[in-house]
């Protein structure tokens, strides 16, 4: 099947819901159950996690190293190497401001140059989480006291790893965090494009999945 003449982009659509309920409400997320009308007229129940959305930051220093952190993730029972990331805790919050906050809180670093690297849905078959991944460059240490961390973040390790090393480890199956994997591969693709990373969308580009 060819794609000639087909507009290859995701588009908004919403199938009719005949009933909905929320069997679980957590501190940050909840679980929703919808009865959805299928194209053949049948009705199917779809259970999914309702998520506020997230931001992540691929912070690249002047030695072509990415700032990564290692954190315990209980659902998968592993310590994962990740890039700084966090929830959009405030409805309608500007995602750039949230990303700058996360970079400061998790790494005590600031950046002068910000671009949108890519936007993704992490698990659209079972969760409505949308993530905006930023590319941050021209890094420097943040001023003031370090943010006081707690819980899993109290055991967090920080490192700076060359981009090529991260790509190799991703392809070898040694790194699994969604934002890190997508981020380093997207950066590699952006570098191969005609305009390079400077051709990426501006940091305040519209984000229909999480308007701000």
């Amino acid at each position: 099947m060819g794609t000639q003449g087909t507009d290859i982009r995701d588009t908004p659509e919403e199938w009719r819901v005949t009933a909905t309920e929320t069997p679980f409400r957590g501190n940050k997320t909840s679980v929703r159950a919808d009865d959805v009308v299928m194209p053949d007229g049948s009705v199917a129940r779809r259970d999914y996690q309702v998520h506020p959305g997230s931001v992540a930051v691929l912070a690249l220093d002047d030695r072509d190293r990415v700032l990564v952190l290692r954190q315990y993730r209980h659902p998968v029972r592993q310590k994962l190497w990740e890039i700084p990331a966090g929830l959009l805790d405030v409805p309608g919050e500007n995602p750039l401001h949230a990303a700058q906050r996360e970079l400061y809180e998790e790494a005590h670093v600031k950046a002068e140059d910000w671009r949108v690297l890519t936007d993704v849905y992490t698990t659209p078959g079972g969760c409505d989480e949308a993530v905006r991944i930023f590319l941050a460059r021209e890094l420097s240490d943040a001023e003031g006291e370090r943010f006081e961390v707690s819980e899993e973040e109290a055991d967090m390790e920080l490192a700076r790893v060359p981009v090529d090393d991260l790509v190799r480890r991703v392809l070898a199956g040694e790194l699994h965090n969604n934002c890190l994997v997508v981020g380093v591969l997207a950066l590699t693709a952006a570098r191969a494009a005609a305009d390079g990373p400077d051709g990426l969308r501006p940091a305040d580009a519209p984000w229909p999945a999480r308007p701000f």
Side-chain angles (χ1 to χ4, degrees):
M1 180 180 297
T3 58
Q4 187 175 1
T6 302
D7 188 10
I8 304 298
R9 70 178 71 190
D10 299 334
T11 56
E13 185 164 345
E14 187 168 350
W15 293 359
R16 187 164 64 92
V17 174
T18 60
T20 186
E21 60 183 51
T22 305
F24 170 79
R25 295 184 186 273
N27 186 33
K28 299 292 185 180
T29 67
S30 60
V31 173
R32 183 175 296 163
D34 289 344
D35 291 338
V36 185
V37 179
M38 299 289 111
D40 63 1
S42 63
V43 176
R45 170 148 290 203
R46 293 290 178 260
D47 302 326
Y48 58 100
Q49 182 185 21
V50 179
H51 195 284
S54 307
V55 292
V57 185
L58 193 142
L60 187 67
D61 70 14
D62 57 4
R63 294 172 57 186
D64 206 42
R65 301 177 303 175
V66 175
L67 194 156
V68 293
L69 50 92
R70 191 174 184 229
Q71 186 172 348
Y72 176 66
R73 294 301 188 183
H74 186 70
V76 295
R77 308 301 199 271
Q78 289 192 23
K79 273 192 170 182
L80 301 180
W81 284 103
E82 308 178 350
I83 57 177
L87 298 176
L88 289 169
D89 293 313
V90 181
E93 181 179 20
N94 186 306
L96 174 60
H97 297 166
Q100 292 169 332
R101 181 188 67 237
E102 292 301 328
L103 186 61
Y104 163 74
E105 291 182 356
E106 295 191 346
H108 202 63
V109 165
K110 64 180 181 179
E112 296 302 320
D113 185 89
W114 289 83
R115 314 272 172 154
V116 175
L117 188 53
T118 191
D119 299 324
V120 296
Y121 292 115
T122 55
T123 49
C127 179
D128 71 350
E129 181 184 14
V131 181
R132 169 155 282 188
I133 304 176
F134 290 91
L135 172 64
R137 298 179 293 181
E138 300 179 23
L139 308 183
S140 62
D141 292 336
E143 295 89 1
E145 296 294 324
R146 293 189 67 93
F147 182 78
E148 186 174 344
V149 296
S150 61
E151 299 177 344
E152 291 95 340
E153 292 182 353
D155 188 47
M156 201 160 53
E157 304 170 49
L158 293 174
R160 297 193 182 203
V161 183
V163 173
D164 290 345
D165 189 23
L166 290 175
V167 171
R168 178 178 61 81
R169 293 181 180 277
V170 165
L171 298 179
E174 298 173 355
L175 298 172
H176 307 88
N177 174 261
N178 181 288
C179 292
L180 186 152
V181 170
V182 172
V184 298
L185 297 183
L187 175 62
T188 302
R191 286 175 162 177
D195 295 335
D198 289 339
L200 291 166
R201 287 173 291 162
D204 60 353
W207 189 17
R210 293 294 186 271
F212 58 95

